[in-house]
Amino acid sequence: MSTESNKPQKAFLSGNEAIAYGAAQAGCTVASAYPGTPSTEILENIAKFKETINCEWAVNEKVAMETAIGASIGGARSLCAMKHVGLNVAMDPLMTFCYVGATGGFVFVSADDPGMHSSQNEQDNRNLAKFARIPVLEPSDSQEAYDMTQAAFEISEQFHVPVMIRMTTRTSHSSSLVDLGDFKPKTRDLIPYVKNIQKTIPVPAFARGQRLAAQERTAAMEKASAASALNRVEAGDRRLGFVTSAVAYQYVKEIFPEFSILKLGWTNPLPKDLIADFAKRVEKLVVVEELDPVLEDQIKAMGLAVAKHETELNMMELNADRLQNLRNELLGDVPKAKKATPDTTLPTRPPTLCAGCGHRSVFYVLHKLGAIVNGDIGCYTLGAFAPLNAMDTTICMGASINVSAGMKKAGVKGRMCSVLGDSTFFHSGLTGALSAFYNGTPVTTVVLDNRITAMTGQQDNPGTGKTLKGDPAPVTEIADVAKAMGYKTVVEVSCDDLPGLEKTLAEAMDSNEPALVIAYAPCRIAAKLTKEGLCEVDSAACKACGACFKLGCPAMTRGAEVRPGFFQMKIDASLCSGCKQCQQLCKFGAIKRIK
Amino acid sequence: MKTVNVSLVGVGGQGIILTADMLAKAAALAGYQVKKSEIHGMSQRGGSVTSQVRFGDHVASPIIQEGTSDVLVAFDRLEAVRTAHELAEGGKAVVANVDLVPVTVSSGIQPPVADLAGRLAAALPTAVVVDAMTIAREQVGNERTMNMVLAGALSKVLPIDESYWLEAMKLMLTGAKAKLLPANEKAFALGRAAV
């Protein structure tokens, strides 16, 4: 990257990339995160600036936030990033750090996922910032992501407060041109650390004072927000006045270009004076925001009249089509006739486990064994679907072990296990595994060890031997961890050995003690094994029994229909990885590895 | 200039996001304002994938409204039929003559489409169907350049000069990837010739 010139540099960046550039430009020197869609690329791009930013993958979001907190107390500008549910994990430190307050600028990114493109729930984390009484900045595109990241560090140091940047899937994963100005990653001298336990140890006597200070700080921040260039009026037709933020602003510009807009970039605490003034200048106030009515409820509480409308805007992802419906309703426009509707008779194409994925054989076996499977968050959640059909529950990161413990305690009978990935085990499986062991709850924990954080795009973790910066790292073996906890039954088995898997899993589930099974197979994408080999079906030997199709491998297609409803299997050579899972299911020896 | 909406659809792993990147960069080099949007995450695992590019004098929304795509680029015929309703009246479709069988069909859970060619002709009667995979495999000698064949075809229907496309390609294939440039340039040229 060129940093020598003073001329403005323009770059085509995603919102997540722009945050990384903004952090580098602001002199951020410490950054930590756990991967999670749609936030993952923030730290991946920060790693490009590893010369100035000491960056890392933390094992979970709580660790990431606490690490950034330590850096801030130590006087550095620091950042952490997470997906919306990651903030649930990090709420504990946040709710006290908002009392203690930042020394060096402290910025965290919450990347929400309206519409749940890649998440188990929908959360508007602006609610949590309001709860913590901290500022929220809401970029509407990549330029603002770059600018607001820098502004966030300034605000954080001005008010000694943690600042949330609220991104969404759309702002994180949309790209647009960014004027980087005179971009030059920098470091800043530490604000000298001075021990001050009245600030950094919130025992009740000190915390009470901090609680009062937080209230005063909110009033001061509200004044600053009202005066900030991050909030601006775009005057237009006064019949409608829109109060809007984040990507919703872009949709308002698209659909209501002629009307007045109060564009809010700094939304908590709400700049009430600015809004009251804007309301006086327009005939009807309309609030458009993505997900919860966070702005709208506060504006109504100010006693201002907000336009009522039938068009539901406060759940699922917002888009211009939905605002077009609002326009039709508010202005009495005639809806345009739809030219065509989606063809819903087509076969669907849902995401699937990759050809050769080691998770597949585990789910095949668990289904065969008739087990209740409490699952977790990762690629392997796909094991829930046909034809594998081998998952009963998924709650959140690390829940699998504890849900089994609860079911066992409740007296649910039959074979049962918990299934989670290596990265999820490190994230929040450790505590559950320990708790089950301590309490003697006979939970069988199956760690699907593929030596990578796969679902989010193959990030490193404590089991991979590499850091975010690309440096070598010590490897933590999950078997060693379980043994250190005291587990007597710790079994490692290869996912490529189907009979071995079946025996191991059955024995573990049938035993009456806590057990930990490590089902090992490296992620084929991460290990570049997607073309390790190739299998072929001998059509003279294939009896069309259909046994192999139960794996649901995308490299398998239907060949000749031998009897009505019974098809031979054919392997798509462009997809087959040569894993030989199907070969082990074929009683007729019809499947051979040819390469 | 009115904003031009381009939808690129296909299956995860086909190089759709890279093609959208190249289009967006070419549009930016041509002096347009441009926004690109896509969904990552769970959908990348062999599922349907969509990427959208909008360019013009001023672009607000990063996503395209339903039924307003000026150009639909499909990397797979089934995905072309699935997203045909996204194309605006008078819009143009560029479709690769490629059929990736969904796992729902190969595993027998859902029936295959009986007459895909007929369904495609009915849904997108003016579609330009490009034998992109055959061209990539047989004339370029590299299946992975299928997306550049389609990019070449796409470049013929968009108001962006060829030189900007080639410049964008050079910007994307730097360092160790620079050796892939001749094959990709060839694929792009063959795609242009195919329309």
Side-chain angles (χ1 to χ4, degrees), chain B residues 22 25-26 29 163-173:
Chain B
M22 182 172 155
K25 287 200 164 83
L29 289 167
S163 62
Y164 297 120
W165 287 88
L166 294 172
E167 203 180 328
M169 193 193 290
K170 283 202 184 80
L171 287 174
M172 293 173 69
L173 297 174

Side-chain angles (χ1 to χ4, degrees), chain A residues 79 107-108 221 312 319 328 374 383 392 452 455 488 492 520-521 574 589 594:
Chain A
L79 177 143
V107 174
F108 73 97
M221 289 193 302
E312 168 64 66
N319 57 38
N328 296 342
N374 293 307
D392 292 68
I452 206 76
M455 174 71 113
K488 300 285 177 289
E492 294 178 85
Y520 175 77
S574 72
I594 56 165

